[in-house]
Structures are given as structure tokens and as C-alpha cells.
Amino acid sequence: MSEIAIKSKAPREPLFSKKNKKLITDPLTDNNPVTIQVLGICSALAITVQVSQGVVMGLSVIFVTVMGNLLISLLRNVIPSKIRIIVQLVVAASLVIIVNEVLKAYLPDISEKLSVFVGLIITNCIIMGRFEAFAMANKPWPSVLDGFGNGLGYAGLLVLVAIFRELFGSGTLGGIPIFGNSLPGEESGLYAMGYANNNMMILPPMALVIVGCIIWVQRSRNKSLQESH
Amino acid sequence: MESTLDIFVKAIFSENMIFAYFLGMCSYLAVSKTVKTAVGLGAAVIFVLVVTVPVNYLLENYMLKAGALSWLGDEYANIDLSFLSFIMFIAVVASIVQLVEMLVEKFAPALYGALGIFLPLIAVNCSILGGALFMQERQYSTLLDATAFSLGSGIGWFIAIVAIAAIREKIRYSNVPAPLRGLGITFIITGLMGIAFMSFMGIKYGKDVKKEKAPTTMVGQINNDKN
């Protein structure tokens, strides 16, 4: 039995061939959906005040990109091209409803903090961008990998921004104090020496400045990504 | 309760879609290279927001909200369809955008020429769905309030994209470090503009606001709105 199974698989591409691996690793660095493709910034930055929110948001987006890419890829031959946008929106919206209901049931605190931004995953450009650019033209398995890679690239950036903002804005990581106790009157650690949190980091505009700096670092390391204007 | 005018002014300045919530950033970054196209997209956003938010408001209050179906009869009073709101809102937005596109093409070809290519883009603009979701979350009490909110949000978005486009046109003449050119500097400028716009938060709206503790940060402001 096993021999037959192997033989029948042999002419097919292995599941994690070089090409397929590239689908996952590319979006993490040189083709990052946020910093290079400029997709999906909309719903992302307002919720990076805490790492935990960033992680939950990232996982939700990974789920939607993977499942959505799979569904769209399976349906790609039966979707009429004129109404494809609406079909894609309906697939995305159904998946986001699932995510939202699960979050409400198991993580009510975080769900409340994310508020409308869970719903906004639907119009997250990454989702529509990957549906349109990849899943409509590729087989299910590469589409799943592509969805996973792009979701991961997005989640990675969210968490990175959230780490900066939470560490310097509230002095904690994932809710755990890093620099000591900051309560007035009972300071310890760095706070006892006169360190103060940078409240500016909590404000929404700083997320943009942090992403701008990440882009700066990335593009100064990889000159081919630089724009002329 | 806030007055309609307060809601309108607040939506333009202190709760600006771009600077406070980052909604519609994708098209904001992609279409802000010249002022002309920015004006076109901004106008299209105002238009679509003003049409879709009131429709979604009616849908929310007469169909989706818990107990909203009670006008059908007592046996429907306990039905809560709010889990369907995402899919209903996005369907309304997508179909209205399609409808508006056809109507504008038929009856106002000149306007279509100006807005044409932007209209399909707008169905997936976060600020449109965001407008509907904020309307749902904030529970505006009348249709007028919801319309004022949508008009204000649209105007705020318009101001933001036209301003950044004007800055980007001028920044071509400056010596920006090579890795920051294009996207990077646009992000940072938007951040700085956001900080400037936050100064509008100190404005007191209406009379009864004074009783509340003034929020010191935007996070505080967002939390207050939730309560």
C-alpha cells in the first residue's frame, strides 16, 4: 500500500518544494504585505498598543487569509469574473463572522478592545489583494501557503510594532512589567531611578512613525526596494 | 446626548478616520501622489459614505439589532440577528457602490469621468465599512445623527487625503534620505499630521461634556466613547 502511495505521489510536486517554501518566506521579508506591498494598514495600527491585541489580530488575519485563499482557489473556476469582488467579499465576511463569534465567546476582553477592527478585517486589503492576485489563479495548496505566508508577514509586523509601543509606552510586554513597578509612591526598578513611560507611544500617530522607521531600516539594508520619489 | 452638530464636527477633526483610526489607509497611501486624483477619491468617499451609512443605519435598527424585528409582530421581538451585521453591511456597501456607479454613468457622465475609476475601489475602502461599524457601535439615536456622522467622516477623510497629496507633491523637491523616499516618509508625515490633528481633542463639545473627566490621551478618548 505504502509503495503505491509513494509512487502515485512521485510525479507530483513535493508539498514543501523550493517554490512553495518561497511562498511562505517571501512575504516575511522582501515582499512583506505591509511594508512593501502597502496592503492592510487600515485595520492594523490602531490596535498595536498591546502585544496581546496584536497577537490575536495577527492570528485572526492568518486564519482568514488561509481559509479564504483555500475557498477562493477551490471556487476559482466557477466564479464569474464580473461579480468576483462581491463573491470575495462574501467569503471574507463569512470567515470574519466566525472569527468574531469565537473571539466574543473565548476572549471577551480582547474582543471588546479590538471592537470594530475585527469587522474591518473584511476590507483589509491583504485579504482582497491575495484573493485577487493569487487565489483566483492558483491551485488550492499553493494558495494556502501564500495565505499563510502573507498572514504571517502581517502578524509579524503587527507584533513588532506592538512590542515597541507597549514596551516604551506602558513599560510592559504582554501585560508583564519589564522596567519595574510604575505606580506613583511605590516605584521600583528603573522607575525608582526617574525613568518615565513615553505616553506618546500609546497615541495612534506613533504607530505610523514606527512603521515608517521599520521601512527605513528595511530599505537601507536592501537597496533594490528603494523608490525614486 | 451630543447634538448633531457636535457629532459632525467631532467626526471631521478629533475622530478623523485617517488620523485617529487609520481607516482607508491603503487607498490613502496609494492614490495620494497628486492633488487632482486625491480630490477625486476624496469626493467619491464622501459621496459613498453619505449614501451607505444611513442605509446601514436603517438596516441595523429595523432588522439586525436585538428586538429590531418587533415591527413584524410580537413573536419576532426576541430575535437578535446582529451576528449577520458584517455580511449585511458589506453586501450593502458593495451593491450600493455598483448601483451608484451605474446611475452616475447614466445620468452624470461628467461626474463619472471624474469619479469613475475610484468608485469600484471604494467598495473595499476600510473607511466605508468602518463608518458603518462605528455607527453600529456608537448607537446613534436618530437617522439625522448617523447622516451627520457619515458626512463629517467623509469630509475628514477628504481633508486628510488632499493635505497629504499636497505635501507629497512638494516633498519631491526636498532631499529625503533614499531609503525613506516614497512610502517611508509618507508614513512619518501622516504620523506628524495625526499629532497635529490631536490638538483638536481639547475642544469641548456641547454643554454636558464638562462633567466628564477630560481624557488626556486618545486612548482615553476611545475608551470614554465606548462607555
Side-chain angles (χ1 to χ4, degrees):
Chain A
M1 275 305 279
S2 60
E3 267 186 347
I4 299 168
I6 290 169
K7 260 182 198 166
S8 66
K9 261 188 180 173
R12 281 174 58 194
E13 214 181 339
L15 279 184
F16 286 98
S17 64
K18 218 174 190 179
K19 205 176 94 205
N20 284 346
K21 260 188 204 153
K22 222 170 135 53
L23 287 177
I24 297 192
T25 53
D26 253 15
L28 296 185
T29 52
D30 286 349
N31 200 14
N32 188 283
V34 178
T35 60
I36 308 297
Q37 302 174 35
V38 208
L39 298 175
I41 303 131
C42 328
S43 57
L45 298 178
I47 49 92
T48 47
V49 179
Q50 289 173 342
V51 175
S52 56
Q53 291 174 30
V55 172
V56 171
M57 187 73 180
L59 289 178
S60 316
V61 171
I62 291 178
F63 172 78
V64 178
T65 49
V66 170
M67 295 303 293
N69 260 5
L70 175 65
L71 288 173
I72 291 288
S73 171
L74 289 172
L75 290 172
R76 71 184 187 281
N77 293 326
V78 290
I79 300 177
S81 69
K82 275 195 177 163
I83 58 157
R84 64 180 194 285
I85 301 277
I86 292 190
V87 175
Q88 289 164 2
L89 282 173
V90 169
V91 169
S94 329
L95 289 167
V96 170
I97 289 176
I98 298 175
V99 168
N100 192 38
E101 297 294 313
V102 170
L103 286 185
K104 262 189 199 158
Y106 294 102
L107 294 166
D109 298 349
I110 290 184
S111 160
E112 196 168 303
K113 275 185 200 147
L114 293 178
S115 70
V116 300
F117 292 100
V118 177
L120 286 172
I121 296 176
I122 300 171
T123 47
N124 190 320
C125 320
I126 293 180
I127 314 276
M128 297 300 291
R130 293 332 289 171
F131 285 2
E132 183 76 15
F134 200 91
M136 285 298 284
N138 284 283
K139 289 195 177 125
W141 178 243
S143 302
V144 167
L145 292 181
D146 180 78
F148 185 70
N150 277 286
L152 204 62
Y154 173 82
L157 194 97
L158 271 196
V159 173
L160 188 63
V161 175
I163 286 175
F164 277 111
R165 287 183 75 189
E166 191 177 346
L167 186 62
F168 297 113
S170 3
T172 58
L173 271 183
I176 303 158
I178 301 289
F179 298 139
N181 192 345
S182 63
L183 284 177
E186 40 184 292
E187 290 101 334
S188 66
L190 274 179
Y191 294 103
M193 292 186 263
Y195 173 83
N197 285 327
N198 184 355
N199 282 333
M200 206 142 162
M201 281 296 191
I202 301 177
L203 305 178
M206 286 313 285
L208 288 167
V209 176
I210 293 171
V211 175
C213 294
I214 292 173
I215 291 173
W216 189 359
V217 171
Q218 191 183 17
R219 293 194 177 180
S220 53
R221 291 167 61 104
N222 186 345
K223 296 229 166 10
S224 64
L225 297 173
Q226 291 174 9
E227 296 171 53
S228 55
H229 276 294
Chain B
M1 279 310 294
E2 295 172 301
S3 78
T4 312
L5 188 66
D6 292 341
I7 292 174
F8 176 69
V9 176
K10 225 170 152 180
I12 298 182
F13 295 110
S14 67
E15 287 173 1
N16 188 292
M17 282 275 190
I18 294 265
F19 298 127
Y21 302 107
F22 310 106
L23 299 184
M25 284 300 280
C26 306
S27 25
Y28 171 82
L29 292 172
V31 193
S32 61
K33 285 195 176 120
T34 60
V35 172
K36 208 180 153 210
T37 50
V39 169
L41 183 68
V45 166
I46 297 182
F47 190 60
V48 175
L49 261 177
V50 171
V51 177
T52 56
V53 170
V55 173
N56 279 330
Y57 179 85
L58 294 175
L59 200 65
E60 157 83 4
N61 281 288
Y62 293 101
M63 218 175 129
L64 296 171
K65 220 160 70 175
L69 281 173
S70 53
W71 55 273
L72 274 179
D74 285 341
E75 65 266 44
Y76 296 101
N78 294 324
I79 295 179
D80 181 2
L81 290 177
S82 54
F83 69 95
L84 280 177
S85 50
F86 292 164
I87 209 162
M88 294 295 279
F89 287 170
I90 197 71
V92 164
V93 168
S95 43
I96 286 189
V97 166
Q98 199 94 50
L99 202 67
V100 164
E101 196 186 347
M102 286 195 255
L103 286 177
V104 169
E105 191 178 9
K106 180 106 171 72
F107 295 110
L111 187 64
Y112 183 77
L115 298 184
I117 51 163
F118 300 117
L119 280 172
L121 264 180
I122 280 176
V124 288
N125 187 319
C126 314
S127 59
I128 310 291
L129 185 65
L133 292 175
F134 275 124
M135 175 274 297
Q136 182 190 34
E137 186 178 286
R138 291 177 192 163
Q139 304 278 339
Y140 289 117
S141 50
T142 64
L143 186 60
L144 186 66
D145 283 0
T147 315
F149 162 73
S150 66
L151 183 63
S153 303
I155 293 175
W157 206 89
F158 179 87
I159 292 174
I161 192 167
V162 173
I164 192 78
I167 293 176
R168 282 181 84 173
E169 276 189 358
K170 293 289 173 214
I171 213 159
R172 249 169 248 171
Y173 307 110
S174 328
N175 193 11
V176 179
L180 266 181
R181 270 178 207 154
L183 194 55
I185 196 73
T186 313
F187 266 101
I188 292 178
I189 292 172
T190 311
L192 296 178
M193 285 165 79
I195 293 172
F197 259 68
M198 284 173 55
S199 54
F200 288 114
M201 278 188 342
I203 300 173
K204 287 223 161 74
Y205 302 99
K207 284 172 190 165
D208 48 2
V209 182
K210 281 173 198 157
K211 286 175 203 158
E212 280 176 32
K213 205 184 99 204
T216 46
T217 63
M218 192 161 284
V219 179
Q221 168 108 21
I222 293 166
N223 289 341
N224 271 4
D225 288 343
K226 264 187 210 157
N227 303 335

